[in-house]
Amino acid sequence: METGLLLFMMLAGAASQFADKRILGGRSCGDDRQYHIRVEWLNGAAFCAGSLLNTKWVLTAAHCGQRQVTVKMKPYKKSGFVKKVKNLFLRKEDIISQEIPVAQQFPYNDNEGKPHDIMLIKLNPVASGNHPVINLPPIASCAKPEEGSEVGVGGWGAAPVAAKGAKASGSLKCSTTQVKACGEKDKPPEGYHCDETTTMCAFKPGVESCPGDAGAAVEFGGVMHGLVVSEPVDKCANPIVFLNICHYRQWIEDTMHANDA
């Protein structure tokens, strides 16, 4: 009995150490945030996050696509702590995967033709109707979180120590941070439009967005109010830069409706 308990504790410790190399200085998300998916290219050597909006559509950052990508998500299922630790240690996961051509990707360009770092991906085949999704704020009453508001973030991104060749297949990490004013250098990746109506920032000591976390949802009031666009290469980002979903809310609805067939 004691030998079995000791082995279990060793497995749990190893799994925790592996997971702690992941995003944000946060906690394991557990059964939360299961709408969070991965968008990969270069055979998984490069990846971003995405959010499942419904059975057909994923929202992510534009710089994560505009090439053939692979969308991966875990089947929705709750499991006990022992099974989670065992699967994490052994790196055993059931993954739903599908290739997404450029024709199924819809990046946003404004009325002046300027690209913004946000994109919709259409799934084919569609996801299971039982899979968790993230809700968007209503169009008519959408208002961005005020400065000082606490928002939720999460992802699989690898910290610099694990970034080279990391596939970030460990525990999804969640944390909270606070909305703050953006500095002059707090912007989306080069080539994408940025102004005070589209771009927001969040800061909390120790809460960072790491390589692979771009495209992740920023939650406020239980719905998706932001899209992480920070894309650090050899370090993690703090403040975290994200887009204001309210600015794009009508475009999201129109694009899904126009391409729903």
Side-chain angles (χ1 to χ4, degrees):
M1 180 68 179
E2 291 181 357
T3 302
L5 179 60
L6 178 60
L7 178 59
F8 174 78
M9 293 176 67
M10 290 173 65
L11 292 175
S16 176
Q17 185 177 26
F18 178 77
D20 284 347
K21 292 182 179 180
R22 307 302 172 188
I23 184 177
L24 294 175
R27 58 173 178 81
S28 175
C29 295
D31 291 317
D32 296 333
R33 210 176 177 92
Q34 291 201 33
Y35 60 81
H36 187 104
I37 68 172
R38 282 178 59 173
V39 180
E40 297 182 352
W41 61 101
L42 297 177
N43 294 320
F47 59 92
C48 282
S51 296
L52 189 65
L53 302 183
N54 54 47
T55 59
K56 291 184 179 180
W57 293 96
V58 170
L59 190 64
T60 187
H63 77 263
C64 300
Q66 302 181 77
R67 59 175 78 80
Q68 180 159 313
V69 297
T70 304
V71 168
K72 293 184 176 182
M73 65 185 77
K74 297 181 182 179
Y76 175 57
K77 55 183 178 180
K78 292 189 176 183
S79 57
F81 175 74
V82 174
K83 185 175 181 181
K84 289 180 181 179
V85 170
K86 182 180 178 181
N87 286 348
L88 177 60
F89 182 73
L90 298 176
R91 304 185 191 183
K92 288 184 177 179
E93 295 179 300
D94 296 322
I95 299 294
I96 299 171
S97 176
Q98 64 174 269
E99 301 297 316
I100 306 292
V102 175
Q104 289 172 220
Q105 302 173 32
F106 301 86
Y108 177 91
N109 290 279
D110 62 26
N111 292 333
E112 298 179 1
K114 297 177 181 177
H116 294 219
D117 198 10
I118 185 170
M119 177 179 73
L120 280 161
I121 289 176
K122 185 177 180 180
L123 300 178
N124 185 22
V126 300
S128 167
N130 294 325
H131 202 288
V133 299
I134 180 68
N135 291 323
L136 297 172
I139 296 174
S141 58
C142 194
K144 67 180 183 180
E146 296 181 355
E147 191 169 337
S149 298
E150 187 173 86
V151 294
V153 289
W156 278 308
V161 67
K164 293 183 178 180
K167 293 186 178 180
S169 59
S171 173
L172 183 66
K173 287 297 191 75
C174 288
S175 191
T176 59
T177 183
Q178 289 189 327
V179 176
K180 61 157 283 181
C182 294
E184 291 185 4
K185 296 183 180 181
D186 299 330
K187 299 178 180 180
E190 185 177 357
Y192 291 98
H193 178 72
C194 170
D195 64 34
E196 61 183 10
T197 66
T198 65
T199 308
M200 303 177 68
C201 295
F203 174 82
K204 185 178 182 179
V207 178
E208 301 177 333
S209 176
C210 298
D213 291 328
V218 178
E219 290 188 26
F220 177 68
V223 299
M224 183 176 180
H225 265 276
L227 177 83
V228 174
V229 293
S230 300
E231 190 55 89
V233 177
D234 56 358
K235 61 180 181 179
C236 294
N238 195 11
I240 297 172
V241 182
F242 62 97
L243 297 187
N244 169 26
I245 288 297
C246 289
H247 185 84
Y248 304 97
R249 187 63 185 88
Q250 187 66 58
W251 167 78
I252 293 171
E253 202 71 23
D254 292 346
T255 301
M256 292 192 299
H257 180 74
N259 297 279
D260 198 41

